[in-house]
Amino acid sequence: MPAAVVFDMDGVLLDSEPVHYAVLRDLLSPLGIAWSPADHEQTLGLTVEDTWRYLGARLPAVVPVDDITARYDEEIIDRYRTGVPPIPGARELVRRLYADGVPIAVASSSLRSWVDAGLDGSGVGECFAFSVAGDEVAAGKPDPEIYLRAARGLGVSPEACIALEDAPAGAASARAAGMRVALVGGGEAPDVDWRIDDLRGFDPAWLRDRAS
């Protein structure tokens, strides 16, 4: 059974977190609502539905949440399609794994429409054998369902997979699924196997040593 790699998308493949923060900040600012970096950090790794629940609990009742979500969705898809900057080393790693015959998938908390747009704009979307989005699972990260589905989609066991994550919720999801986890970007998350600044730090030896 081949070893496999499962990528989160936002913050791992694509440097999209600054885009999400800026879009939401700019939508809320005319309403007199401040969206701080600390607020944004609380939503990292969550599904869109969980993000809106977090946001809705902090908005005045008069704020048109449905209008904001529709405008947000439209803007994010447009940004993804035109191309969000990749995380350093991301395209090179994806192409190398693909060329080496390593099965690779995406397990993202984002909506399917966002995942499709993000992969289309990434320049390496055709390399992924499978992807699963946050609106295609019953429970989002940190529940393990999304990573279990990614492993099934690749036809491998979760124990044969390395998950690349940048958020505590995502790392917990992959770990609960039975995968080894590399935390990308210097964030904080307990119980991970490796910590790397970006995807240039991925070591192919990890694929050969599944017991590490």
Side-chain angles (χ1 to χ4, degrees):
M1 181 178 296
V5 179
V6 184
F7 292 74
D8 179 37
M9 186 175 75
D10 297 292
V12 173
L13 276 174
L14 305 178
D15 191 15
S16 52
E17 298 301 349
V19 173
H20 282 272
Y21 169 67
V23 169
L24 192 51
R25 178 200 61 203
D26 292 348
L27 285 173
L28 295 176
S29 180
L31 301 171
I33 300 166
W35 182 250
S36 71
D39 287 321
H40 183 69
E41 186 174 346
Q42 293 299 313
T43 68
L44 295 181
L46 300 182
T47 64
V48 175
E49 291 79 6
D50 288 339
T51 297
W52 288 125
R53 275 192 283 272
Y54 175 89
L55 178 64
R58 286 154 179 78
L59 294 179
V62 295
V63 172
V65 177
D66 289 345
D67 179 58
I68 291 174
T69 58
R71 292 163 59 198
Y72 182 68
D73 182 65
E74 181 179 344
E75 182 68 19
I76 290 297
I77 289 175
D78 182 64
R79 298 278 190 102
Y80 277 165
R81 282 178 176 159
T82 56
V84 172
I87 293 295
R91 288 174 180 165
E92 294 82 1
L93 176 60
V94 168
R95 289 175 179 140
R96 186 170 82 232
L97 294 173
Y98 179 75
D100 289 345
V102 177
I104 54 176
V106 166
S108 172
S109 292
S110 289
L111 300 173
R112 166 52 62 186
S113 57
W114 296 8
V115 172
D116 288 344
L119 292 180
D120 286 346
S122 71
V124 291
E126 72 282 357
C127 296
F128 290 95
F130 186 76
S131 65
V132 56
D135 54 345
E136 296 171 338
V137 294
K141 301 174 185 178
D143 187 274
E145 179 185 358
I146 195 166
Y147 275 104
L148 293 172
R149 285 194 57 184
R152 285 200 303 271
L154 291 176
V156 301
S157 72
E159 292 76 17
C161 297
I162 294 172
L164 299 174
E165 269 288 352
D166 70 319
S173 171
R175 175 62 77 190
M179 297 184 182
R180 291 175 296 154
V181 183
L183 188 68
V184 182
E188 292 296 329
D191 196 25
V192 298
D193 298 274
W194 308 281
R195 299 175 187 272
I196 53 178
D197 291 333
D198 56 50
L199 293 184
R200 292 173 295 189
F202 184 93
D203 186 348
W206 298 343
L207 291 165
R208 297 190 293 271
D209 183 11
R210 301 185 202 173
S212 63

